Amino acid sequence: MTWAPWRRCRIQTTSAWECNGPKDSYAAISQVDRLQSEPESIRKWREEQKERLEQLDANSRKQEAEWKEKAIKELEEWYARQDEKLQKTKASNRAAEEAFVNDAEDIFPGTEWERVAQLCDFNPKSSKQAKDVSRMRSVLISLKQAPLVR
């Protein structure tokens, strides 16, 4: 080890630094003087404040842990609801597909307009689409009433 007087630290040959006390030689003395000259009421307040801060920190950590547990529980419930909703949607889509395939096989002459009426929603209030389809609806109704002659 070598002594570096400009740093007040010892330098080891392994290049690790080991400090030998505070950088300011009077810092330790002034700290002791401050603690000794400090009035009893201020020292008491400082200790109470430290205890209060520790208690607040403990409470905040406890509350944070509770919030995390609650958030994890709510997230798991949300995933369960989403999975259940997805399974219901898949089941209803499969049933609708089977019904559509079965209806597509039963093609008889003269039943074309009934099939179109099943596929189209002619009630403008129950339509879930955001687009305006009133013109298409009116065209289909007019074609049903007066079919084109070939």
Side-chain angles (χ1 to χ4, degrees):
M1 277 190 274
T2 59
W3 177 253
W6 60 88
R7 292 217 181 243
R8 295 197 186 273
C9 293
R10 282 183 255 154
I11 303 173
Q12 294 180 353
T13 56
T14 60
S15 73
W17 294 80
E18 179 181 315
C19 288
N20 197 13
K23 292 180 182 177
D24 185 9
S25 61
Y26 295 105
I29 297 171
S30 65
Q31 186 177 9
V32 171
D33 286 344
R34 186 177 55 92
L35 291 175
Q36 287 178 350
S37 66
E38 186 174 62
E40 181 68 23
S41 60
I42 293 177
R43 187 187 57 77
K44 192 175 184 182
W45 173 83
R46 190 181 312 277
E47 290 173 1
E48 291 174 359
Q49 186 70 11
K50 184 178 179 182
E51 290 174 9
R52 263 186 268 151
L53 290 175
E54 288 174 357
Q55 184 179 9
L56 287 173
D57 286 344
N59 288 342
S60 67
R61 276 185 262 149
K62 180 182 174 185
Q63 191 174 27
E64 183 180 352
E66 290 174 0
W67 285 345
K68 284 182 180 180
E69 290 174 9
K70 184 180 177 184
I72 289 171
K73 182 180 176 185
E74 288 180 1
L75 189 61
E76 288 173 355
E77 290 174 1
W78 183 82
Y79 277 125
R81 283 193 309 267
Q82 286 296 106
D83 191 36
E84 182 180 330
K85 187 193 273 187
L86 182 65
Q87 296 302 324
K88 286 181 181 178
T89 303
K90 284 181 180 180
S92 66
N93 285 348
R94 286 186 185 118
E97 183 183 9
E98 286 179 15
F100 180 75
V101 169
N102 291 338
D103 288 342
E105 294 173 358
D106 301 333
I107 298 176
F108 300 110
T111 60
E112 294 86 12
W113 286 112
E114 285 77 17
R115 293 183 62 213
V116 169
Q118 286 177 347
L119 294 175
C120 296
D121 184 17
F122 289 106
N123 188 359
K125 292 183 181 178
S126 68
S127 179
K128 295 180 182 177
Q129 296 176 347
K131 295 180 181 177
D132 184 22
V133 293
S134 59
R135 184 164 181 222
M136 182 66 178
R137 186 180 302 116
S138 65
V139 168
L140 288 174
I141 291 174
S142 67
L143 284 174
K144 182 178 179 182
Q145 293 172 354
L148 295 174
V149 180
R150 291 186 183 189

